[in-house]
Amino acid sequence: MTDVGGVPLRYLLREIDERGGDALPLLSVSIHSGVGRREEFSQDPHRAETLDNYKRCQAGDVVLNRMRAFQGALGVAPTPGLVSPDYAVLRPAAGVDPRFVAYSLRSHWGLGEMRSRLRGIGGMGAGAVRTPRINVDDLLGIKILAPPFSRQRAVADFLDGECQRIGALAAGFMRLTLAARRAERMHIEPRLIAAGRRYGRVKLGWYAHVLPGYAFPSSGFVTGEQTGTIRLLRGVNLTPGETRWSDVVSWPEARTAGLAAWSLRKDDLVMGMDRPWIKGGLRIATISSSDLPAYLLQRVARIRPYDDRLANGYLRLWLELDLFEHDVSHAMTGVAVPHISGSQIEGFRIAVPPREAQEAAIAEANASRWKTSKLEVAADTVASRLAEYRDALIAEVVTGQLDATTLSDVRMDERARAATEGDTAAVKSLVATAE
């Protein structure tokens, strides 16, 4: 990646290393959302015994996760707070808008500059190395365009507005998928409730075993996937209906003796125990072959029927009902991070009809789910197109290829429509068919 010219970041930012401050909120960095309170981004609560070694930042500081900055994990602190000791805190000089710097670094161009400066054992393509990180001195050697402060602020204001507009469009498509999932659950609910009236409801624990994850010590975690390690399924890897491995920690295979009970199998049900319900529903998924091998980490539960009297898919239908949340939410512990226990899951009452009736319910639910999945794929495609458009726009503006002051709202709307036109039409067609 070639520098666009301009001023080295070391003349615009300086590294700050101030530690401790228990009264300050804990902040984190998201690849997608920048800097915010940690509870906004993570289902796993903070577990450090002391925050004395955490770094302090001020509102307006640029904060980056050195291991994931090259993927966009950086932003501007909205408030004073504490961040991980491994993060970098960079304070802007007078006359520097931190938003302009953050946009420059998060652009395609800026991410490329950081990738070219990554340090680690071996190269980016090596399979048996720890995740590389960027050295702050190397980062500060990157040159960016540095127009007058008034111009930086105008560009940052423009990009703030456009990113907000693009985010609102993406959120609209997300609402469509959430509504479809809700309709899917409501479609199968009468069948399950009728089974409860006919066969009665018994405790889930009579037919299935609930196993909370093992407390693997974080000091032994290996970042990413490396030769000789096995992935650990954490709460962050669970979203409603699926597993996601974009953020992976692993465990050395040589240290797995005695841990066979926490080894996951195909078709196991896994559920997040901290903040189990989020906007999209219950954080539950079915383990597939592509998830394996993997071990179960604490604060995630594995739910496995004892025998074939209870089908995994049928059990999942019961757990995804609003009824499950209603029955257990009053007994959940935790305030900042609500927590459900294994015994509460086992105590939930389900109906267990003959196996053929269970399979019929699963088939009916799958038919409804197939329609929903088509809409989700189409909506995700639009969201991806919008993200690509946003990233291209940021790169054009911060490198001076596009003059933000000449762009009207009408022209910006035209550009956004052109970037997503075909995919948006596909979503509208699916919604019309469903209605």
Side-chain angles (χ1 to χ4, degrees):
M1 182 68 68
T2 303
D3 285 335
V4 297
V7 179
L9 284 173
R10 68 181 71 260
Y11 296 111
L12 308 177
L13 306 169
R14 62 187 176 93
E15 185 175 16
I16 301 296
D17 191 353
E18 301 169 346
R19 307 280 176 138
D22 289 339
L24 294 173
L26 193 60
L27 306 181
S28 191
V29 181
S30 162
I31 290 175
H32 305 290
S33 307
V35 184
R37 288 180 176 265
R38 190 180 190 278
E39 60 265 25
E40 297 173 4
F41 302 142
S42 176
Q43 283 85 35
D44 295 327
H46 170 67
R47 294 188 288 275
E49 294 181 1
T50 176
L51 299 177
D52 290 346
N53 197 39
Y54 274 55
K55 294 182 179 179
R56 292 201 306 272
C57 64
Q58 295 180 2
D61 285 345
V62 176
V63 180
L64 60 92
N65 179 338
R66 293 191 299 142
M67 288 194 296
R68 305 187 71 194
F70 71 96
Q71 298 172 316
L74 63 96
V76 179
T79 63
L82 295 177
V83 299
S84 165
D86 200 48
Y87 284 6
V89 177
L90 306 170
R91 189 155 297 160
V96 174
D97 190 315
R99 297 173 300 159
F100 180 86
V101 175
Y103 277 125
S104 297
L105 289 175
R106 292 186 68 170
S107 68
H108 287 315
W109 172 85
L111 297 179
E113 287 293 315
M114 285 189 281
R115 288 190 191 99
S116 71
R117 290 164 169 80
L118 289 176
R119 295 192 180 191
I121 305 170
M124 282 288 293
V129 300
R130 295 187 68 85
T131 302
R133 65 187 67 200
I134 189 164
N135 182 285
V136 173
D137 286 340
D138 294 335
L139 175 78
L140 295 179
I142 296 174
K143 294 180 181 179
I144 69 169
L145 293 178
F149 178 73
S150 59
R151 177 74 173 182
Q152 293 179 40
R153 183 172 56 190
V155 167
D157 287 345
F158 168 79
L159 289 175
D160 281 350
E162 287 308 306
C163 288
Q164 184 175 11
R165 187 204 304 248
I166 294 167
L169 286 172
F173 288 107
M174 175 60 74
R175 286 193 293 272
L176 285 175
T177 62
L178 293 179
R181 289 178 188 171
R182 171 70 176 169
E184 176 189 307
R185 292 196 298 272
M186 295 299 291
H187 175 76
I188 196 63
E189 183 172 350
R191 174 188 279 269
L192 301 182
I193 299 302
R197 287 195 296 266
R198 180 174 181 182
Y199 297 99
R201 291 170 58 192
V202 298
K203 290 183 178 180
L204 180 155
W206 290 12
Y207 285 86
H209 178 233
V210 179
L211 178 70
Y214 182 74
F216 290 86
S218 59
S219 58
F221 288 176
V222 177
T223 303
E225 299 181 61
Q226 302 180 23
T227 302
T229 66
I230 296 177
R231 292 187 294 195
L232 299 179
L233 183 75
R234 301 180 292 162
V236 72
N237 302 126
L238 274 177
T239 62
E242 63 180 336
T243 55
R244 292 187 178 177
W245 295 101
S246 56
D247 186 358
V248 179
V249 298
S250 303
W251 189 257
E253 193 170 3
R255 298 177 59 188
T256 57
L259 300 176
W262 290 274
S263 178
L264 293 169
R265 301 178 193 167
K266 185 176 181 297
D267 294 329
D268 278 342
L269 295 178
V270 285
M271 180 192 300
M273 302 176 77
D274 286 336
R275 195 176 288 117
W277 285 274
I278 58 177
K279 185 179 294 185
L282 177 65
R283 294 193 302 120
I284 189 172
T286 304
I287 293 296
S288 67
S289 299
S290 62
D291 295 312
L292 302 175
Y295 279 84
L296 189 72
L297 187 66
Q298 63 183 340
R299 295 179 172 83
V300 179
R302 186 211 69 204
I303 309 169
R304 181 184 294 169
Y306 289 119
D307 52 46
D308 61 6
R309 291 177 300 168
L310 178 61
N312 298 58
Y314 181 77
L315 173 56
R316 177 172 163 178
L317 294 179
W318 273 95
L319 293 172
E320 289 178 325
L321 291 181
D322 292 342
L323 181 64
F324 176 49
E325 181 178 8
H326 176 270
D327 282 5
V328 303
S329 60
H330 68 279
M332 289 172 62
T333 60
V335 178
V337 181
H339 176 84
I340 188 172
S341 69
S343 61
Q344 288 168 335
I345 299 172
E346 289 181 333
F348 175 58
R349 293 181 176 272
I350 65 172
V352 185
R355 183 68 184 233
E356 57 268 23
Q358 297 180 40
E359 297 295 346
I362 293 171
E364 183 178 341
N366 285 343
S368 177
R369 190 166 290 164
W370 180 78
K371 295 178 182 178
T372 303
S373 66
K374 288 182 64 177
L375 176 59
E376 288 178 336
V377 169
D380 284 347
T381 300
V382 175
S384 296
R385 294 281 188 269
L386 286 168
E388 292 170 3
Y389 165 64
R390 177 202 61 209
D391 294 344
L393 176 66
I394 291 171
E396 287 180 295
V397 171
V398 299
T399 58
Q401 300 174 52
L402 193 64
D403 185 353
T405 62
T406 66
L407 300 172
S408 66
D409 287 348
V410 172
R411 185 178 173 191
M412 295 311 300
D413 287 338
E414 291 172 350
R415 285 170 59 101
R417 280 198 300 272
T420 63
E421 186 171 4
D423 299 305
T424 300
V427 172
K428 290 180 178 178
S429 175
L430 284 169
V431 171
T433 300
E435 293 175 343

